[in-house]
Amino acid sequence: MAANPMVQFNVYRIGPEIKFGNIDLSFTNASLFMLISASIITIFLYFSTKNKRLVPSKIQLISELLYNFVAKMISDTAGSKAKPYFPFIFSLFVFILICNMVGMLPYSFTVTSHIIVTLVMALFIFIAVTIIGFLKHGLKYLSIFVPSGVPVVLLPLITIIEIISYLSRPVSLSVRLFANMMAGHTMLKVFGGFVISLGLVGGWLPLSFSVALTGLEILVAFLQAYVFAILTCIYLNDALNLHH
Amino acid sequence: MEDKEDFKTRLKIEKNRLEKLTFKSENKKGLFLGNALKLGTELVAAVVVGTIIGFILDNWFGTKPILIIIFFFIGFAAGILNVVRTAKNMQKDNK
């Protein structure tokens, strides 16, 4: 393996080059690992719910726990109005979670450590939430930019600040996930490199760090998926229940 | 028949127990960590967005350094607003 800790983030083409005009649509290792994550989810959920039983088997229990976890998260943060959006948030949460977890396996590739992947997801959520807000409330949705109880003199300034705060949502959402995943994986690689270069004599200390970091990374992988999903719920809540 | 009744009562007892369990074990330690990680990016993102908006407007109007400076500070204010809002939400959850 290469010693450079950033090599693990390289995207390379697998198979033939596919081009439509200027757009490169070739199958890359990133697409491969997205496909792997999606198939893991599909196969798991299919087999765990195939033989439905009142007293669930172990594998059915896991998928039921997952379902309940997301359902509770949505009803806690966005209320009952958000029920129709359950499938989307569930898929989003599980996809990010499995992508992060697949990335924890040695020799694999972390899809979510690329800002373009997280940015596309965040922008999709941002645009969808904005459209939902306008569909539900019409032009009254613009009132989220105008907080109540502000002096008229300050109103233009506050409105600009609110608009920037609103526009910063997709940026903070995507940067958070991407930065956490990339920093964690770089750190793991750096400590792994220390183990090799220090050898049998001094390699034990970085090795123990590496073990601890792996545990931390698994926690972060879960937590970031959770934060991403719960922020989606919060934004959805802002759009569905307009209040100040 | 008896088996079924027996099963039903056991299910009821178990359900009651589970409800109490989830009610009690609702420690939100994981949530706190998530919130803590949230605050930093919240601030930075608003500053970045503000600066980008200032940069674009500057290119439009040809007022090179002025708007980018103004929007940098407005973005900073928006970032503080974001952080205060998140902190308020955290307090609300805490109670």
Side-chain angles (χ1 to χ4, degrees):
Chain A
M1 287 296 273
N4 185 346
M6 304 312 274
V7 166
Q8 57 173 324
F9 300 118
N10 280 356
V11 175
Y12 47 85
R13 205 173 61 232
I14 300 173
E17 193 175 12
I18 307 164
K19 265 202 166 172
F20 283 99
N22 279 329
I23 307 163
D24 193 356
L25 288 176
S26 311
F27 195 79
T28 61
N29 55 342
S31 350
L32 176 70
F33 276 96
M34 274 189 235
L35 207 62
I36 289 174
S37 310
S39 354
I40 288 174
I41 299 162
T42 317
I43 292 168
F44 172 74
L45 286 179
Y46 174 72
F47 280 105
S48 60
T49 53
K50 199 177 163 197
N51 304 311
K52 291 181 215 55
R53 280 192 281 174
L54 186 61
V55 179
S57 57
K58 276 170 198 150
I59 187 161
Q60 191 188 341
L61 193 69
I62 297 172
S63 58
E64 275 182 18
L65 276 175
L66 204 59
Y67 180 96
N68 276 340
F69 181 75
V70 179
K72 196 170 178 306
M73 178 170 76
I74 294 173
S75 63
D76 278 357
T77 48
S80 55
K81 272 189 196 166
K83 265 274 139 64
Y85 307 102
F86 175 83
F88 173 68
I89 293 170
F90 183 79
S91 336
L92 190 75
F93 173 72
V94 178
F95 181 69
I96 295 172
L97 180 67
I98 299 295
C99 278
N100 290 351
M101 289 300 179
V102 165
M104 286 307 295
L105 297 174
Y107 295 102
S108 71
F109 176 84
T110 322
V111 181
T112 43
S113 68
H114 281 262
I115 187 143
I116 191 66
V117 177
T118 57
L119 189 67
V120 164
M121 288 194 280
L123 275 180
F124 181 82
I125 291 162
F126 176 74
I127 293 168
V129 162
T130 311
I131 289 173
I132 288 167
F134 276 116
L135 280 182
K136 293 261 167 187
H137 303 285
L139 284 179
K140 249 174 81 187
Y141 185 59
L142 287 174
S143 69
I144 59 162
F145 297 129
V146 188
S148 54
V150 175
V152 185
V153 189
L154 281 175
L155 208 56
L157 185 65
I158 298 284
T159 309
I160 292 174
I161 289 176
E162 288 280 353
I163 289 172
I164 291 179
S165 161
Y166 189 75
L167 289 177
S168 75
R169 280 172 174 189
V171 178
S172 73
L173 199 59
S174 56
V175 166
R176 182 180 309 116
L177 178 60
F178 138 80
N180 270 291
M181 297 321 290
M182 185 161 140
H185 283 268
T186 311
M187 211 145 73
L188 277 178
K189 191 79 182 199
V190 167
F191 275 98
F194 283 163
V195 177
I196 301 296
S197 53
L198 290 177
L200 264 178
V201 188
W204 297 101
L205 190 66
L207 182 65
S208 59
F209 268 127
S210 230
V211 172
L213 274 177
T214 307
L216 182 75
E217 271 314 297
I218 288 173
L219 175 74
V220 168
F222 170 75
L223 217 59
Q224 288 305 323
Y226 177 67
V227 167
F228 203 95
I230 207 161
L231 278 174
T232 309
C233 295
I234 289 172
Y235 296 158
L236 201 58
N237 179 41
D238 284 350
L240 291 174
N241 311 310
L242 200 59
H243 57 73
H244 301 287
Chain B
M1 205 60 211
E2 215 181 88
D3 239 23
K4 225 174 191 176
E5 283 301 306
D6 184 45
F7 180 74
K8 266 184 188 168
T9 39
R10 270 197 297 166
L11 193 68
K12 220 181 230 172
I13 292 165
E14 202 59 18
K15 261 186 187 164
N16 273 334
R17 200 179 66 86
L18 263 180
E19 248 161 49
K20 267 183 208 158
L21 206 74
T22 48
F23 203 71
K24 252 193 219 162
S25 68
E26 226 180 332
N27 60 345
K28 288 179 173 169
K29 265 185 190 152
L31 229 172
F32 283 141
L33 193 52
N35 271 327
L37 293 170
K38 221 162 76 182
L39 284 173
T41 44
E42 212 71 78
L43 179 65
V44 175
V47 176
V48 168
V49 168
T51 314
I52 289 172
I53 288 173
F55 183 74
I56 292 169
L57 289 182
D58 257 347
N59 274 348
W60 269 4
F61 300 125
T63 50
K64 205 69 199 202
I66 300 163
L67 283 177
I68 200 168
I69 295 170
I70 295 172
F71 271 88
F72 172 79
F73 283 107
I74 293 177
F76 189 69
I80 297 286
L81 185 77
N82 278 347
V83 170
V84 169
R85 247 188 220 146
T86 316
K88 258 187 192 165
N89 272 340
M90 278 155 85
Q91 264 179 342
K92 207 168 60 190
D93 288 343
N94 215 349
K95 274 170 193 167

